[in-house]
Amino acid sequence: GLGKVLSVEVVPRIERLGVLVRRRFQLLERIEEQVVVILGNPCPAVSYDPDALHALLTSHVHGDGAAEHWSEIRQVLHQWALPKFQTERGVRALDKMIDQLEHRLRRFQHADSVLQQVRNEWFLTYDGRRDRSSTVGFVTFENAASAHLAAQTFTFSQPFELRVDLASEPRDVFWELITLRASSRFMRTILSLATYILMLLYWLTLAFLLSTLVSLDSLKTYFPWLPDMAEKNRWLKSLFQYTTPTFMLSLMNSCVPYILSWLAQLEGVQSRSAIQASVVRRYYLFLLSNVLLIFTLSRAVLADYSKWIENPALIPRLLATRLPTAAPFFLDYVILYALAYYPLQLLQFGSISLAMFRRMLCRTPRQFADALRPNYVDWAFILPQPMLVFTVLTTYSSLAPFIFVLGAVYFVIGGFVTKYLLYYVYGRRFETAGQFILPILKALTGSLWHYYVLIIGLCALKGKVLYVLFLLPLLYINWYLLSRVAAQFYDNGQFVPADMWSVSERSTPSEPNTAHGHSQPSAHAESSRPSHHTSTDYLLPRPHVPAPFDDVLDTIDRETQGSGSRLGERMRRRVEHLWTAVFRRIY
């Protein structure tokens, strides 16, 4: 009763077939490299015919005509070979290379025939057998409304037997992990989470040691002359006290997204967008604990370590005194990313250098095409740093108000650079339909807890009871936003509401839409992250339904718009007058 079904496809298990395909591809790459070594790229021979060479190398000749076929290949390669192989010594080297090429061609033809045979036998004998079918299937409905209803409906009476989600687009599906069982994915999740916790603890230790080693008091042990020199020059002191720790910390954290991406794949995530979402969430938590908490607490601990041991009762008051002293470090952190990181991102030094280096090592056309492909946008490298800067701005907004100015500079430069990169540099590997915005807003709303706890704690330690009473309701407001409001937007935002579907969409056929189902006969559940792949082309305009107090609300809207337009016109005239006066002064 959900709607007309166009097709049902169960994903087969083809692990062995995938191994044969990868072996065949490796042999093909080696053959291409060998041919380029012999003929060059491009081939300088006048009579060179790429179509004839392709036909000779890809044809399978067996029996009596095999010897003649290989003799023809040798003759053609000798004729089109590079000039350096025309000498007597070069001919001997060319014969050895052709022998190696013939051996690899025979292996490739054998692998190709075995792959074709296995593929034919597998699909000819496949009749839905359980040992050859995975627990994942794709159901295509006639219209999108049916797919959305199926993804929200309890479609099977037995729990943990069937789970239905909206399918991601084909480019977003991570096909290597799509057939993993739920039990395997559960064990992978535990292993990935344990590895992430160990990595987090290890990096926290490194960050604590780094904050210790780069301080002037620690450097005095190895370089006794350095603190005296730094005291004489305030720029040098600022370099060692703030800029160097920020640069070292950023350099140490730059490799973390690659590790987190590998952990997400180890976990068994089934779509590329879900992998990036996992990396964004974990990398933000990593930066929050590694940069904000550790560097703040380490400075407080190192400054009053002896007092903490002698009198632990002074710890709250010492924290209230020392925590604001970490504000200059974060001021330098924000301005370093605004004036150094984003301009370097705009210049794309890393990508251009890597592309030039790869082009130097490329030989075959396939390698050149792979080296020149555009960089795909990876939100794991774009979103976590601005999220951390927003958290830093909110945390130290009352302690160091000047950080708002630096934050404005950061977001203006970052917005311009990121918009340019997304428009003209990065390519989109898949569509996410805006699925990252809601988790990011939820994380940023939760980051306000750091600000509330810090300000309430400082006011309580200084005896400002009235301020504490006024600030306590903010904790409840933040909890309400994270629990009730976030549930309304985050959970219900995965599907198109029923009242937005038009009557024509429900009754007339439209583009086929796919629901992604996980089913299995056993009692174990197959789990997957719900996809947010949604098209909005079918959202047709709905007729206006009169609501109560429409006349009153329309009158208020007209008055508000009228006053707003008058104010905007007045401001526009003043700005034009100001610009006219400025240009007259200049010219």
Side-chain angles (χ1 to χ4, degrees), residues 13-241:
R13 294 189 179 276
I14 52 174
E15 289 84 358
R16 183 187 174 191
L17 197 62
V19 173
L20 294 176
V21 170
R22 285 190 292 271
R23 288 181 182 177
R24 178 183 179 275
F25 178 70
Q26 292 174 0
L27 290 172
L28 180 60
E29 282 189 323
R30 294 178 181 177
I31 291 173
E32 290 177 349
E33 292 178 359
Q34 193 74 28
V35 172
V36 168
V37 171
I38 296 174
L39 302 181
N41 185 22
C43 180
V46 179
S47 59
Y48 172 69
D49 187 1
D51 296 331
L53 179 63
H54 181 267
L56 286 174
L57 296 180
T58 56
S59 59
H60 292 200
V61 181
H62 303 281
D64 298 335
E68 182 179 355
H69 174 70
W70 291 112
S71 176
E72 185 179 359
I73 291 178
R74 283 179 173 273
Q75 180 181 357
V76 167
L77 292 178
H78 274 281
Q79 180 181 357
W80 294 340
L82 292 173
K84 65 179 181 180
F85 295 115
Q86 302 301 327
T87 62
E88 182 178 354
R89 184 177 179 180
V91 170
R92 290 196 299 267
L94 179 60
D95 290 334
K96 292 181 180 179
M97 291 182 183
I98 293 178
D99 292 338
Q100 294 177 0
L101 178 63
E102 181 179 351
H103 175 67
R104 290 175 179 173
L105 279 172
R106 293 182 186 274
R107 290 181 57 190
F108 174 78
Q109 291 178 0
H110 175 71
D112 188 54
S113 60
V114 170
L115 176 63
Q116 190 67 29
Q117 181 180 0
V118 171
R119 181 182 295 171
N120 292 336
E121 291 179 358
W122 199 98
F123 284 104
L124 287 176
T125 59
Y126 175 71
D127 54 353
R129 292 165 50 182
R130 185 174 300 175
D131 58 335
R132 294 191 177 183
S133 301
S134 68
T135 59
V136 181
F138 291 88
V139 181
T140 305
F141 290 91
E142 190 176 25
N143 54 55
S146 300
H148 279 255
L149 290 176
Q152 301 176 77
T153 307
F154 191 63
T155 54
F156 195 62
S157 59
Q158 298 297 326
F160 306 110
E161 293 288 335
L162 178 66
R163 177 172 177 173
V164 181
D165 299 311
L166 288 179
S168 304
E169 61 165 329
R171 295 178 301 170
D172 190 17
V173 177
F174 201 75
W175 295 101
E176 291 82 353
L177 303 176
I178 195 67
T179 57
L180 284 179
R181 293 183 178 273
S183 57
S184 175
R185 202 156 47 246
F186 178 73
M187 297 303 298
R188 283 168 169 258
T189 303
I190 294 177
L191 180 61
S192 174
L193 184 60
T195 307
Y196 173 70
I197 294 175
L198 291 177
M199 186 195 73
L200 184 61
L201 295 176
Y202 176 73
W203 238 267
L204 291 178
T205 306
L206 287 181
F208 187 82
L209 294 177
L210 177 64
S211 63
T212 305
L213 293 176
V214 298
S215 62
L216 288 177
D217 295 335
S218 301
L219 293 175
K220 185 178 180 180
T221 307
Y222 304 99
F223 308 100
W225 49 269
L226 189 59
D228 297 334
M229 183 183 296
E231 291 295 337
K232 297 178 182 178
N233 191 336
R234 61 176 183 176
W235 299 104
L236 188 62
K237 182 178 179 179
S238 177
L239 174 67
F240 284 104
Q241 196 168 2

Side-chain angles (χ1 to χ4, degrees), residues 546-557:
F549 310 107
D550 262 356
D551 297 335
V552 178
L553 294 177
D554 290 342
T555 304
I556 296 175
D557 288 341

Side-chain angles (χ1 to χ4, degrees), residues 7 70 131 214 251 289 424 436 445 462-463 499 577 580-581:
S7 65
W70 291 112
D131 58 335
V214 298
L251 191 64
S289 58
Y424 303 108
F436 287 165
T445 305
K462 293 183 178 181
D499 63 334
H577 178 71
T580 304

